[in-house]
Amino acid sequence: AEDQDRKVLTYGNLLLKMSVLGRAFHRIFKDEERVGFLLPTSLPGLVAFFGLHAKGHVPAMLNFTAGSLAVVSCCHTTQLKSVLTSRRFIKLAELGALEEALKNAGMRMVYLEDVAKKLTLGDKIGGILASRLRLAPSTPAEKPAAIMFTSGTEGVPKAVLLSHRNITANRFQALSFLTIGAGDKLFNCLPMFHAFGLGICTLLPVLAGIRVFLYPSPLHYRIVPQLFYESQSTILCGTDTFCVGYARYGRPYDFSHARLVIIGAEKMREGTRKMWADKYGVSLFEGYGATECAPLISVNTPAHKKAGSVGRVVPGLEYRLTPVPGIDEENTGLLWVKGDNVMLGYYQNEEATKAVWHDGMYHTGDVAWRDEDGYYWYVGRADDVIKS
């Protein structure tokens, strides 16, 4: 793993640092199963994520762009006592107001810089031994690995419990569809609080032996294309909005190494596809997912693609379409899915969990159309489609 400071983290260094930090975290968060995670996409963020897992703590990935009220609500929803962050990050991202709001809400702020300064000899020796002996907690696959939060567009953000099995299953589902290998380098500028930024863009490359370049913001439209070129990255994941920005401000050769560019989270416009083809000679592949599915549900690939569709459903995922009132088109309906990548449920919200489960299948809340070749086309959110 590499970042914009040109620091490189090898597997050996990651194991050592996460093991040392893990012991320090366990001393600080001893009686806390869940810990708020307020860090950017970066090497320190990567080490801290695995450091929490080294001693069995579950990171609750807080969306620092959502505003103070939403973040505090997420902390209360998951009954957090502490939030792990960085003084440098708080300063650079101008999150002073959020920091103050969390403190006022009773959260204990734990800063990575302070943890590093207070590492004990026992932390260091124990961490070295743990990394050499490959010691890890024997966590069941069904236990939570991360807590993600929904956008809150339908009310208060819900806490999505993703298990180790969910994240691992989705990784293998993605790799069975996408031809990604050790010769690739994935450029990840998506935030780790987003399911795609964490599961596909951070954990997949680290766990699958693929190099990854970490950058804290997808909104730097002039910097991201330049770093993509300089880092000789080959894979990029983003949204239609981000890709329009990169095409507008990037140089014609910035994506000359690009082999796979995947678009999700919002509908890709035909103009965006044409812009990238004309300027960079690069094809864009649209995908579809949900936080509750860790997140990938379907995706186009270089071998199997249809422009305008969101691709075929990934292997190992059962799916069905149910009728929507007012829509009589064949093979169009509400999309339901079932598989190892589908969440455990919403944290302490049995009512919301039951509302999206039926006969063991998860209701995505989206309307889709399936063509004769098995490609899916996103129609819209169910409530919006029914209203219109």
Side-chain angles (χ1 to χ4, degrees):
E2 185 183 354
D3 65 8
Q4 76 272 19
D5 295 329
R6 292 301 187 272
K7 293 179 181 177
V8 176
L9 188 69
T10 64
Y11 273 117
N13 288 336
L14 175 58
L15 281 170
L16 176 60
K17 291 182 177 182
M18 65 181 263
S19 299
V20 172
L21 263 186
R23 294 181 67 88
F25 287 158
H26 195 53
R27 189 176 65 252
I28 297 168
F29 308 120
K30 189 172 183 180
D31 300 320
E32 300 175 43
E33 179 187 356
R34 300 168 301 282
V35 177
F37 190 94
L38 193 71
L39 290 166
T41 302
S42 60
L43 292 184
L46 179 65
V47 173
F49 182 88
F50 280 104
L52 288 171
H53 276 291
K55 287 295 182 178
H57 299 283
V58 180
M61 315 300 288
L62 300 174
N63 180 355
F64 46 82
T65 68
S68 299
L69 287 176
V71 175
V72 169
S73 173
C74 291
C75 292
H76 287 157
T77 298
T78 47
Q79 301 174 323
L80 300 179
K81 296 178 181 178
S82 304
V83 174
L84 177 63
T85 186
S86 158
R87 294 186 191 278
R88 184 188 178 200
F89 173 58
I90 293 290
K91 182 179 179 180
L92 291 176
E94 300 180 350
L95 296 175
L98 174 58
E99 179 186 32
E100 193 63 29
L102 288 169
K103 288 180 179 178
N104 292 337
M107 297 296 118
R108 176 177 59 146
M109 305 299 289
V110 177
Y111 302 95
L112 274 180
E113 294 88 346
D114 297 344
V115 175
K117 288 178 182 177
K118 295 178 181 178
L119 290 174
T120 66
L121 183 61
D123 293 335
K124 295 175 182 177
I125 293 175
I128 292 171
L129 290 174
S131 65
R132 294 287 175 85
L133 297 174
R134 302 293 193 265
L135 297 181
S138 55
T139 308
E142 293 77 18
K143 289 292 184 180
I147 300 175
M148 315 298 292
F149 296 92
T150 60
S151 60
T153 52
E154 299 172 352
V156 177
K158 295 187 286 287
V160 179
L161 292 175
L162 294 180
S163 70
H164 293 268
R165 187 187 304 279
N166 293 156
I167 293 174
T168 303
N170 205 229
R171 169 166 66 96
F172 285 120
Q173 287 170 323
L175 290 174
S176 69
F177 248 31
L178 304 170
T179 53
I180 304 176
D184 285 305
K185 179 184 278 190
L186 194 155
F187 189 99
N188 180 24
C189 56
L190 296 179
M192 292 175 68
F193 62 70
H194 191 281
F196 209 88
L198 177 66
I200 299 298
C201 297
T202 302
L203 298 181
L204 183 151
V206 171
L207 298 175
I210 298 163
R211 295 174 298 163
V212 60
F213 188 97
L214 302 172
Y215 188 72
S217 175
L219 298 173
H220 298 165
Y221 296 139
R222 297 182 189 275
I223 298 174
V224 168
Q226 182 178 339
L227 285 178
F228 188 93
Y229 174 76
E230 291 176 0
S231 64
Q232 296 188 337
S233 297
T234 60
I235 301 170
L236 178 70
C237 298
T239 68
D240 180 87
T241 300
F242 298 155
C243 284
V244 168
Y246 304 149
R248 185 172 296 157
Y249 295 105
R251 299 163 297 187
Y253 56 84
D254 280 335
F255 292 94
S256 57
H257 302 116
R259 194 182 63 78
L260 190 62
V261 180
I262 299 174
I263 306 299
E266 59 185 5
K267 181 69 178 174
M268 181 167 65
R269 291 165 290 185
E270 189 58 37
T272 308
R273 191 192 309 275
K274 187 176 186 304
M275 195 182 300
W276 272 69
D278 293 345
K279 186 168 185 177
Y280 299 125
V282 173
S283 297
L284 303 181
F285 300 96
E286 192 170 4
Y288 163 73
T291 302
E292 291 85 348
C293 295
L296 193 62
I297 294 176
S298 66
V299 66
N300 283 285
T301 71
H304 301 282
K305 60 184 177 181
K306 272 194 180 182
S309 78
V310 292
R312 289 172 169 171
V313 172
V314 295
L317 194 63
E318 297 179 37
Y319 52 90
R320 75 176 181 215
L321 295 173
T322 58
V324 178
I327 296 181
D328 299 323
E329 293 181 38
E330 191 176 357
N331 294 327
T332 302
L334 295 171
L335 179 62
W336 299 72
V337 294
K338 177 183 179 181
D340 285 343
N341 60 310
V342 180
M343 67 170 181
L344 297 173
Y346 297 117
Y347 180 77
Q348 291 199 344
N349 195 335
E350 191 173 340
E351 184 181 345
T353 303
K354 285 183 177 179
V356 296
W357 288 99
H358 185 68
D359 292 338
M361 300 199 82
Y362 166 68
H363 175 207
T364 63
D366 294 321
V367 176
W369 170 64
R370 184 179 67 242
D371 70 11
E372 66 279 3
D373 297 317
Y375 288 88
Y376 274 79
W377 305 70
Y378 178 75
V379 177
R381 292 295 294 172
D383 291 343
D384 297 335
V385 171
I386 292 171
K387 285 175 186 175
S388 61

